[in-house]
Amino acid sequence: MTKKLFILPLLLLCSLLAMAQEVKSPNGAVQVKFYLQNGQPTYEMSYKGKPVVKPSHLGLELAKSKYADNKEKETDLMDGFSMAGTQTAAFDETWKPVWGETATIRNHYNELAVDLHQAASGRNITIRFRVYNDGMGLRYEFPQTDKLNYFVVKEERTQFAMAGNHKAWWLPGDYDTQEYETTTSKLSEIRGLMKAAVTSNASQTTFSPTGVQTSLQMKSDDGLYINIHEAACVNYPTMHLNLDDKNMVFESWLTPDAQGMKGYVQTPFNTPWRTVMVSDDARDILASNLILNLNEPCKLEDTSWIQPVKYCGVWWEMIVGRSTWSYTNEFPSVQLGVTNFAEAKPNGTHAANNEMVKRYIDFAAKNGLQQVLVEGWNVGWEDWFGKSKEYVFDFVTPYPDFDLKALNDYAHSKGVRLMMHHETSSSVMNYEKHLDAAYRLMNDYGYNAVKSGYVGDIIPRGEHHYGQIMNNHYLHAVKEAAKHKIMVNAHEAVRPTGLCRTYPNLIGNESARGTEYEAFGGSRPDHTTILPFTRLQGGPMDYTPGIFVTKLSQWSNNTSQVNTTLAAQLALYVTMYSPLQMAADLPENYEKYDDAFQFIRDVAVDWDDSKYLEAEPGDYITVARKAKGTDNWFVGGKCDENGHLSVIKLDFLDKGKKYDCVIYADGKDADYKNNPQAYTITRKVVKKGDVLKVQQAKGGGFAMSLLAK
Amino acid sequence: MTKKLFILPLLLLCSLLAMAQEVKSPNGAVQVKFYLQNGQPTYEMSYKGKPVVKPSHLGLELAKSKYADNKEKETDLMDGFSMAGTQTAAFDETWKPVWGETATIRNHYNELAVDLHQAASGRNITIRFRVYNDGMGLRYEFPQTDKLNYFVVKEERTQFAMAGNHKAWWLPGDYDTQEYETTTSKLSEIRGLMKAAVTSNASQTTFSPTGVQTSLQMKSDDGLYINIHEAACVNYPTMHLNLDDKNMVFESWLTPDAQGMKGYVQTPFNTPWRTVMVSDDARDILASNLILNLNEPCKLEDTSWIQPVKYCGVWWEMIVGRSTWSYTNEFPSVQLGVTNFAEAKPNGTHAANNEMVKRYIDFAAKNGLQQVLVEGWNVGWEDWFGKSKEYVFDFVTPYPDFDLKALNDYAHSKGVRLMMHHETSSSVMNYEKHLDAAYRLMNDYGYNAVKSGYVGDIIPRGEHHYGQIMNNHYLHAVKEAAKHKIMVNAHEAVRPTGLCRTYPNLIGNESARGTEYEAFGGSRPDHTTILPFTRLQGGPMDYTPGIFVTKLSQWSNNTSQVNTTLAAQLALYVTMYSPLQMAADLPENYEKYDDAFQFIRDVAVDWDDSKYLEAEPGDYITVARKAKGTDNWFVGGKCDENGHLSVIKLDFLDKGKKYDCVIYADGKDADYKNNPQAYTITRKVVKKGDVLKVQQAKGGGFAMSLLAK
């Protein structure tokens, strides 16, 4: 009898704790429930009463590993849990980003943390939810104990059970590339469309016929915009999603290492946040700061040296194929420290030469562009790619026709800086060997920004672009750069997860299909109406817009065509938010259309405010932004292949002020295929409340500057 | 008929070229023949008419790889060859090593280079032989052509067909450790003894029941001493040997990478030399400079800063277990940058503390030791091992009780330097991230030598200690160190192959079972009578001799016993050649035997001449060396468990000079097991031609100083 007296309350407590815990967003629209289902952590999420995530399990499958606490056998962190306690909290803070779409960002959420105990292993873990008005994040937290010190992840088993067969904008899941076209389909159609979606890339490793990448944008039949991504991916592999397309349940699928393992964890440790954004208004998804808010505050004490930048560069003419990164064709291949470049026969097509770079510097100086990127300045480009060559670049030795000191001096004399370029060819062990010297050289010559690149398969061989070791590398490069007051713009690196809040010198990333693909056969006209919903959730993209001569055959042997109008290229400076924007076309092409180029000269790269005016993924995006520290606004609108009529109510302008408005719009007969360069420039004076109608052509767009009088 | 006229001479030429090419050593004792056997490159080698290597094939099996010239299929470089030409040359040069066993080294060989053409692939390769009086080296050379630019090695197929079932001193072939006891057996017995030979190690990967390491010392029934090793292993995996024990044919077995590949080659490229040393006098094997001679001359312009060094250090007491590298036991594990060591509770056993280090500095200063190694000075030791922890050390942050500046200042004030310690825990990606900063810290505080360590499994995970990427790492660390005027002594790194000629700041390596194993259960008494034949062929070993209190239980809880006498420990300073010698025991142990310690104070670490007086692998080695820049000689003799009577004829002394001779010999009843500390010190005056008899005890040895009067 005594026994029963003690047992009953315990059972009651257990049963109480097994009951669902609820947490709602500050405005009540988003609701998350958590409970144990036969000992399995389970959650569900709704928006305004509609299911967003149906009951879904949480947990991690652990690997048997000699590096783990439990060497011989390992108990998965999947089930057998009981609740040990819960904590709730509310948080409301406004913080100032170093650069961004708005001057301040509000971080406003309600939190639920559930402590779980697993009797079989004696381990405790915590699952933490933060619920915002536009979605939620959840993560696993592993406190340090003797029983939970080291473990190896076989697979994370975080489920996202969808409530229907949504429309999705998806990329094939891949451990090594994100440079696919987006496929738009129902979830049930992914499997059938996968093969066609996997186009070739310099490095690629797909893993499942229903595997897709994040950020994954979806739309439900009842009009909910749902987006799954992750935030603050640090010391952990990147997450993909694998779809059970019978039940429409996504499950996390981490990037493995060369041994097939998916994360080496030492406690205390928190996983990245797994995020689900939701709204019934697509504009809310674009305006969301949920990913940034789930990252740690800035860890750099001095950020005064971090400056948004507009730049041009010696780049597009190599991408298009008129000139080369390489200096000589004399050898089947080159070896650094062996090949004598000074005596090698020049190939005559090397673009990064003194004369050419000076021309770009002059162009930048004349047009108010702060920097000039120069690719192909350093030795090693002759056989940089596809050979898994370890010592491919040294990042400090220029070609004979690139005078490192003279060109930097010349640029500085014109008020311009050169932008450094570190293509690693994904020989990461080599890059890490040279990183310190490379950054020091930048300091010596006055560079303060580097575009880095990770084309091709990773060395250490067998590792993947988005594995734990590589994610640690990318962050290492950013943190080391900060010590040298260098801004980083990493291409082909892992898709961002908001780490630019913590390390704002991570000023850009590519990590998606950029403008270069327009020279490789083209991207679809709807491409840039999707990217802000997907790729841009994690951080800005160096999309390199501004291609005015869209038919490349006009000046090269390249038969590709940029699948937008010229006006649409202007729109991208506003619709594709980035504190780093390139004017990517050749100076001579800009000189032909100098009146349109005025917009690129004028447009800001840092903002005090942003208003998403219209948005539908894959169809159109229209946004207005207020330039940092001014009363000026810039508006951009970009649409898909169907065209779009934008009706813009200027109610974001300051009351009582007048604005000189310049509208760069598609010409009447413009369309991206046959008449891309037809544009009109209209000037008028406008005020708050005025309504402007702008017709966007097929594959077109518009840009608008509103300069306060 | 016209056709025939042309074909016949071609056939004649082919047949001529298919005939054996011969090359002999300068003294004619060593002969090497090369020919094609059905298109397969084939060689054989003899010594004074006796077969050393019977007809053996040469070639490489290539991998199908997307990184190779031939992506879809690949033609092995094994057969189908015709001879395209041969060149012979003679070479005789004397060079001066920066440090060494002798003041000058003669590089004297005859050379044969055979150019081979493979019709099926259109590729040309060269096989080069260099034949010395004490052996030969051969290597593959790959000139750069469009048809031979990039390939991936599946396996190198270099055979060494032995002429009999030799006696061999062998270590189990292993991709990750060389720290095995040597097994002595007939070749035919290897398979049966392998299992017992594979003792446990922190990181180990065996590959075959008849796989062994180089340098492999053998002895034939007819008295030939044969040794197989390699020279100048650069940008290539380390070679092991796999024995076909039916036919007694060894074949090369390279170390694979994480993908199982065995070398990524870009032409022009030369493989390391595959070496076979031979003599009918064991002393010639010890005196051989063949490995050094096959390496490139010194590539450092200024070598004035490279100085041989005698040192002591805070080390043995941790190895034995009386104190610890770690500072605190408060946490299950630590995280750099997170754990607050300043506020952590000290464990009270941390040896690298200010007081202890000062005591070692005082001891070094008093006894003329130039440096003091301090292990465990930097944060991270609490969980440094066995967890595959990536960010395990930062190499710059001291524990709270180690005052980096004050201790270096104190040492310098006493004319002593601290020796840096970089344990990497084999987290090589981490070490490379921090290497530059670590070396710069050394420069800042006045360190000029680093002992580095590679305990545990490699990160990048799946790579091995002796793979291509790791061999590139070790050399990178040495080359970068040279830029900072830092000498490197790398432990658990790849076994050396003579690269210290090219980079003489590589002043030492462990790469074998060192003295530390005497505290881990012991090494056999014959251990150090074998190492000079095997491990030391490639370069000096930091064996850390000088353990005077051989029964460790006398001052610790460790029940191991050093399996030599005290006198034998002195012998090692002469028999185990190294420009870097540790006095490894505790200062208080030396203070107890200060009369014996006099030899360690006196003995040189750099030499003008060396005379191997007696040698039989596994039995005894006696060597006399003339100290650099002096007329003083030091003699050491070391034997196995059977004891040995050394009869030393002093005919190496200068005629007409007299020498104060001090003989440190085993006491009459000494033996390594029961009476290791019984020694006698005898003084006499000697001259050239005198004969000394010294009895070495079981597991004993002797040392002798001969100081010119």
Side-chain angles (χ1 to χ4, degrees), chain B residues 307-518:
Chain B
Q307 291 143 356
V309 55
K310 236 184 302 180
Y311 74 104
C312 62
V314 181
W315 174 73
W316 185 240
E317 61 180 273
M318 288 95 91
I319 290 288
V320 169
R322 186 174 75 175
S323 55
T324 60
W325 286 267
S326 65
Y327 173 79
T328 177
N329 300 335
E330 196 176 347
F331 316 106
S333 67
V334 298
Q335 292 185 9
L336 303 194
V338 177
T339 305
N340 186 341
F341 288 97
E343 294 184 6
K345 187 184 166 198
N347 57 18
T349 56
H350 180 233
N353 62 69
N354 294 325
E355 192 187 350
M356 180 73 81
V357 174
K358 276 189 184 170
R359 169 151 166 66
Y360 275 85
I361 292 169
D362 291 342
F363 177 77
K366 187 179 163 196
N367 292 288
L369 306 175
Q370 290 91 11
Q371 301 208 2
V372 175
L373 166 73
V374 186
E375 295 202 2
W377 69 277
N378 59 323
V379 296
W381 285 93
E382 284 67 22
D383 61 338
W384 69 285
F385 169 71
K387 297 301 186 181
S388 198
K389 182 177 173 180
E390 191 180 346
Y391 186 26
V392 58
F393 292 113
D394 70 5
F395 311 99
V396 296
T397 307
Y399 279 122
D401 57 350
F402 183 89
D403 189 328
L404 189 56
K405 182 172 188 317
L407 288 171
N408 277 283
D409 287 350
Y410 184 75
H412 299 163
S413 77
K414 298 255 178 175
V416 169
R417 282 184 198 258
L418 296 189
M419 185 181 288
M420 178 46 78
H421 184 236
H422 291 168
E423 173 57 50
T424 68
S425 192
S426 294
S427 182
V428 173
M429 291 195 74
N430 181 59
Y431 190 37
E432 292 195 343
K433 282 183 176 79
H434 294 88
L435 190 62
D436 201 287
Y439 284 162
R440 279 188 277 130
L441 179 121
M442 288 179 63
N443 287 159
D444 290 347
Y445 287 94
Y447 293 86
N448 73 346
V450 59
K451 173 182 174 181
S452 57
Y454 295 87
V455 172
D457 291 344
I458 301 294
I459 300 178
R461 299 178 185 97
E463 293 291 335
H464 296 292
H465 279 73
Y466 317 132
Q468 183 178 19
I469 263 190
M470 283 303 300
N471 287 344
N472 288 348
H473 163 76
Y474 303 127
L475 190 54
H476 171 73
V478 170
K479 288 160 85 170
E480 286 299 303
K483 293 181 190 167
H484 293 266
K485 301 196 174 181
I486 288 170
M487 300 182 282
V488 175
N489 165 26
H491 282 226
E492 298 92 19
V494 68
R495 48 188 173 271
T497 58
L499 290 170
C500 58
R501 178 183 177 187
T502 314
Y503 304 98
N505 66 314
L506 176 56
I507 200 157
N509 272 119
E510 184 186 46
S511 311
R513 189 178 175 93
T515 294
E516 62 189 11
Y517 277 84
E518 301 282 21

Side-chain angles (χ1 to χ4, degrees), chain A residues 74-86:
Chain A
E74 184 58 279
T75 308
D76 295 330
L77 296 170
M78 297 278 287
D79 51 23
F81 284 104
S82 58
M83 280 207 218
T86 62

Side-chain angles (χ1 to χ4, degrees), chain A residues 136-139 156 158 160 178 212-216 227-241 252-255 269-277 290-295 466-467 471 494-499 534-539:
Chain A
M136 72 103 195
L138 72 87
R139 73 177 180 192
E156 183 182 318
T158 302
F160 307 86
Q178 297 142 162
V212 298
Q213 304 195 15
T214 71
S215 136
L216 175 69
N227 184 299
I228 305 179
H229 192 33
E230 63 179 311
C233 184
V234 175
N235 197 13
Y236 202 73
T238 293
M239 178 181 76
H240 313 265
L241 298 172
S252 51
W253 183 294
L254 302 179
T255 308
F269 182 77
N270 304 328
T271 67
W273 294 95
R274 280 60 184 94
T275 61
V276 183
M277 281 180 261
L290 186 143
I291 301 285
L292 288 178
N293 278 330
L294 287 170
N295 275 270
Y466 317 132
N471 287 345
V494 69
R495 48 187 172 271
T497 56
L499 290 170
T534 54
R535 163 61 186 78
L536 267 55
Q537 291 296 351

